[in-house]
Every structure is written in structure tokens, then in C-alpha cells.
Amino acid sequence: MTYDVPPPENLVIRRYATADAADTLRVFRAAVHGIASRDYTSEQIEAWAPPSLDEARWQERRSAANTYVACLDAAVVGFSDFIDDGLLDMLFVHPDAGGRGVARALVTRILREAAAAGHQGLYVHASLTAKPAFERFGFAVDATRMAEIRGQRLQNFDMSITLKPDDSIDRPIG
């Protein structure tokens, strides 16, 4: 998979809207059940992205964060966010859009918006699957940890990146 390709010309990154809840939840489930399933057991995947997730609560969480969606031809194919304490909480791309620069474009936007909001850095709890991408985006591993989700333990990584004032300028990362 290539991560250094330029994003497609028809890729649009925009702020999350309430109407994006179902689409972002669909992307989340597809990414976890599709891409992350190579690194985690079926029990871990089911705990991470169960069919019982409440769309209203999902929408509240996305609205409370600084969430951005990636659209190809107006279809939501990815999303990412950061919250006020500097956590890049979510970064998911639909498997059908993988390897096309969508994640890089989302992270570039998140870093730019976080720098513009005055953040000096961001941190993330990256999955085994996402760790290599975050490393390519400039994040460093601070610790390896075990997260518990619905009774399942999943290995992930505390990672962080220091933002520079010029990160608020619209330019690609990594």
C-alpha cells in the first residue's frame, strides 16, 4: 500500500455535519471489520465495532469533536477528528478508498486545524493497523499499551507529534 500518493483531485475535506453520522459510522465499521481484522481477532473486532453502536451517541461524539470528513464524488469515504485536549481520536478510511491519499489528506487537515487552534501537539492511541501510517505522518511512539473495549484487550500505541506554527499553513505532511 502506498501512502505517499497525492490525494485524488475530486477529494474534498470538509467539516462534519449532523447528516454525516450514518456515513461515518459505516466507514468506521468497514475500516475496523475490513482493514483492522488482519491485526486483531474476530472477538476483538466485534468488541471494537459492534453492530449495536448507537447512531445518536455516535453523532453526539462526532459533533463534540473537531471532526472532518473526506468525500470522493460527494460520498463520505473517511473521517478524522481531534478534541480540545489534543487527542486525535478518530482516523478511519473506507477500505475501498485506501491507499489513495485520503488518510494523509485528513491528517494534514487535522494538524493544520489543531495548530491554528493553538495546539502545540497532538496525541493518538493508534491501533496496530494504524501505527505505520501515523509513523509516516510524523507521529512517534511514546508507549505500548493494552486497551480494554467491551471485555476485550487490544494492543495499541500512545503516539504524539509536536506541531510547529507553520503547520497551520495548508501543506502536505510527511
Side-chain angles (χ1 to χ4, degrees), residues 1 3 31-32 35-40 48 80 88-93 103 107 124-141 155-159:
M1 187 177 282
Y3 287 91
V32 172
I35 301 167
S37 65
R38 68 178 182 231
D39 295 316
Y40 295 98
W48 188 359
S80 187
L88 191 159
D89 187 32
M90 297 268 180
L91 172 62
F92 291 95
V93 174
V107 171
V124 65
H125 306 300
S127 68
L128 282 166
T129 310
K131 178 182 174 270
F134 277 110
E135 287 175 326
R136 280 189 281 278
F137 300 151
F139 284 75
V141 174
Q155 182 181 25
N156 67 15
F157 302 88
D158 289 342
M159 301 180 76

Side-chain angles (χ1 to χ4, degrees), residues 66 68 82-87 109-122 161-169:
N66 299 290
Y68 294 85
F82 70 95
I83 58 177
D84 290 338
D85 75 348
L87 173 65
R109 179 67 178 266
I110 292 296
L111 295 181
R112 185 182 80 197
E113 296 294 336
H119 288 276
Q120 295 183 359
L122 290 179
I161 190 169
T162 300
L163 300 176
K164 299 177 250 20
D166 64 346
D167 284 332
S168 64
I169 300 168

Side-chain angles (χ1 to χ4, degrees), residues 31-66:
V32 172
H33 284 270
I35 301 167
S37 65
R38 68 178 182 231
D39 295 316
Y40 295 98
T41 68
S42 58
E43 293 83 10
Q44 291 170 318
I45 293 297
E46 198 58 35
W48 188 359
S52 61
L53 287 176
D54 181 280
E55 188 176 313
R57 288 192 67 218
W58 177 268
Q59 196 293 119
E60 286 174 19
R61 245 182 108 190
R62 300 289 63 77
S63 291
N66 299 290

